[in-house]
Amino acid sequence: MQKVPFITLEQAQKIIADVPTPFHIYDEKGIRENARRLYKAFGWNKGFKEYFAVKATPNPYLMQILKEEGCGMDCSSYTELVLSEACGITGHDVMFSSNVTPVQDMQKAAAMGAYINLDDYTHVEFLERVAGIPETVCCRYNPGGMFSLGNDIMDNPGEAKYGMTEVQMVSAFKKLMAKGAKQFGIHAFLASNTTYNEYYPTLAGILFELAVRLHETTGAKIAFVNLSGGVGVDYAPYQPKSDIEAIGEGVRKKFEEILVPAGMGDVAIFTELGRYMLAPYGHLVATVLHEKHIQKDYIGLDACAANLMRPAMYGAYHHITVLGKEDEPCDRIYDVTGGLCENNDKFAVDRPLPKMEIGDVVAIHDTGAHGFSMGYNYNGKLRSAEVLLKEDGSHQLIRRAETPADYFATFDCTPYWDKLKNG
């Protein structure tokens, strides 16, 4: 099955005349339609809410779109909290999930009225000391051991730094209740980027059963269960695609099976999706600068791993479309590279593609989450622009590209600053 880009060569060329490559571009129509599918899939739960993982794509224009579609924000740092607040997203529309949390971050979350998700038992006293105990508190659970679906090991919670044991959860709930907390949330993240439709229902079953035990043991009212993230996307054409309707229905069955008989049918379901919400609706658009033919055939782009680090860091697959050559045979084998002084700066290795030429424009798929946000400045490379492809087909610059002045700006306390900022 072929992956189809959401822009054509003609559209890309029009944008490039205004915003030079490389740039990340996002599809507003696709983002909105996807958010609506999610809310429809979980519409059976009256309290359902998606808290978009800001770390995936921290751009206020995109956050505003998701806000308009009913989403809150999942923040993990002071800066993300400030960004959410600037978008008018505060109070219980914010979930603060952090670990090794600085005082400033915790105090900001409390001041905004965000749901605070405690990562560790010792954070109960930390929260009380620096911000006070709110009426609603969430605690993060780590079941330990290996997490499997059928015969497939999905992840290893026992090696993860996040969350509390069940014994610690019980103690935390009791201590928090003694300090004034009235109701609670439960959160866990057990697998990353899985397209198994059984993942969320299986996780839901684990957390729903935990919620019942915690309620019975402590008497605490469980207000919500946060399934966090982990629902993946089909980066490669041969991968299965997550079926959000089947996922929502699977969670509903677990809800009816576990929580309703326990008299807990009013529990709200939260999600914290980042990759699922935005990854397929982003492309990294780049231009071919050079071609090289030695032991292998190389295509060099004006983008590099500083713009999209997942292939270099994880060996992750991102599909590549040569715009305007979608129907040509993929009868050439290329390594597609950037210009960093690192041999792993490759977007693709031994990738079948159409014959490519200098000046060709490529769309690297599924960069809408953990694309721009994981960028960096190694080799003095500058972060790219971000562009929004609007529903009416027009485009809007939503983040300008960095300049050398931006790169040098933090040197403004040095005797070199005057020369640098003018050079």
Side-chain angles (χ1 to χ4, degrees):
M1 182 178 177
Q2 186 68 13
K3 293 177 77 74
V4 178
F6 57 75
I7 59 169
T8 65
L9 176 60
E10 183 180 9
Q11 286 176 305
Q13 289 173 332
K14 184 177 179 181
I15 296 167
I16 291 167
D18 182 35
V19 184
T21 56
F23 55 78
H24 285 272
I25 187 168
Y26 308 99
D27 177 19
E28 179 182 4
K29 183 174 184 289
I31 292 169
R32 289 188 184 277
E33 289 176 348
N34 190 51
R36 292 167 191 171
R37 281 193 295 271
L38 174 67
Y39 270 87
K40 182 179 179 182
F42 284 88
W44 53 267
N45 183 263
K46 292 182 180 179
F48 174 76
K49 194 171 185 69
E50 155 64 9
Y51 288 84
F52 171 67
V54 175
K55 61 180 173 288
T57 321
N59 187 294
Y61 292 88
L62 303 178
M63 292 164 65
Q64 184 64 37
I65 290 171
L66 292 170
K67 175 187 175 184
E68 291 169 4
E69 296 299 335
C71 301
M73 297 294 140
D74 166 48
C75 299
S76 60
S77 69
Y78 178 86
T79 307
E80 291 178 356
L81 289 166
V82 171
L83 183 57
S84 293
E85 187 176 46
C87 295
I89 305 169
T90 60
H92 285 173
D93 286 333
V94 175
M95 177 72 62
F96 181 60
S97 296
S98 175
N99 66 96
V100 195
T101 308
V103 171
Q104 180 189 41
D105 298 39
M106 189 68 84
Q107 289 178 337
K108 182 63 176 177
M112 288 173 61
Y115 284 128
I116 293 175
N117 183 22
L118 297 180
D119 181 66
D120 183 63
Y121 175 71
T122 64
H123 290 183
V124 174
E125 292 185 358
F126 173 65
L127 174 62
E128 181 183 34
R129 184 175 75 253
V130 304
I133 302 298
E135 289 193 355
T136 303
V137 185
C138 185
C139 291
R140 186 167 186 169
Y141 174 57
N142 185 327
M146 304 295 291
F147 176 67
S148 301
L149 288 177
N151 295 322
D152 295 322
I153 295 174
M154 304 305 295
D155 218 325
N156 184 2
E159 294 294 324
K161 68 175 182 176
Y162 308 107
M164 310 181 201
T165 67
E166 183 169 345
V167 170
Q168 290 174 329
M169 294 274 282
V170 169
S171 296
F173 274 34
K174 289 180 177 179
K175 182 174 285 191
L176 286 162
M177 290 168 67
K179 295 177 182 296
K182 299 287 193 282
Q183 56 184 8
F184 295 85
I186 299 172
H187 172 284
F189 179 89
L190 300 186
S192 178
N193 190 38
T194 175
T195 54
Y196 282 82
N197 292 333
E198 297 80 11
Y199 168 59
Y200 249 17
T202 302
L203 172 62
I206 292 170
L207 292 182
F208 293 164
E209 290 174 350
L210 174 65
V212 172
R213 293 195 300 272
L214 288 171
H215 172 68
E216 291 176 346
T217 302
T218 68
K221 175 175 175 52
I222 310 300
F224 62 84
V225 170
N226 188 335
L227 301 177
S228 67
V231 176
V233 300
D234 51 329
Y235 284 102
Y238 51 81
Q239 284 184 290
K241 188 180 181 69
S242 295
D243 183 341
I244 201 64
E245 291 184 0
I247 292 168
E249 177 61 14
V251 174
R252 185 195 67 78
K253 288 179 179 178
K254 292 291 185 180
F255 189 93
E256 296 288 339
E257 173 188 325
I258 299 168
L259 290 181
V260 172
M264 299 172 67
D266 60 343
V267 171
I269 304 300
F270 295 165
T271 57
E272 289 176 356
L273 299 169
R275 193 187 315 268
Y276 176 82
M277 298 303 292
L278 285 191
Y281 311 105
H283 296 331
L284 174 58
V285 179
T287 301
V288 176
L289 291 184
H290 297 283
E291 56 180 319
K292 182 174 183 176
H293 307 282
I294 46 175
Q295 288 85 356
K296 302 180 76 172
D297 291 335
Y298 294 92
I299 291 294
L301 305 181
D302 58 1
C304 65
N307 305 113
L308 178 66
M309 73 183 298
R310 296 186 72 254
M313 186 173 187
Y314 305 121
Y317 181 98
H318 280 265
H319 199 66
I320 298 174
T321 296
V322 185
L323 296 178
K325 296 184 176 181
E326 291 88 343
D327 298 325
E328 293 187 14
C330 295
D331 56 2
R332 304 299 175 96
I333 304 296
Y334 294 111
D335 281 13
V336 182
T337 80
L340 287 184
C341 296
E342 292 288 342
N343 196 45
N344 68 348
D345 180 22
K346 297 179 179 180
F347 296 108
V349 175
D350 295 331
R351 183 73 59 86
L353 289 164
K355 184 179 186 307
M356 297 176 70
E357 299 165 318
I358 293 171
D360 278 346
V361 178
V362 305
I364 303 178
H365 291 245
D366 301 310
T367 69
H370 310 290
F372 179 94
S373 65
M374 296 178 74
Y376 53 96
N377 288 128
Y378 180 62
N379 269 183
K381 295 293 186 180
L382 303 174
R383 291 180 177 87
S384 71
E386 292 182 290
V387 177
L388 179 65
L389 180 64
K390 303 181 81 170
E391 288 186 290
D392 62 6
S394 64
H395 68 273
Q396 179 182 1
L397 183 68
I398 58 174
R399 189 195 300 262
R400 67 166 174 81
E402 286 183 337
T403 68
D406 296 314
Y407 181 81
F408 297 136
T410 51
F411 291 133
D412 64 3
C413 60
T414 76
Y416 306 105
W417 174 239
D418 287 338
K419 293 180 181 179
L420 289 170
K421 72 179 179 180
N422 294 323

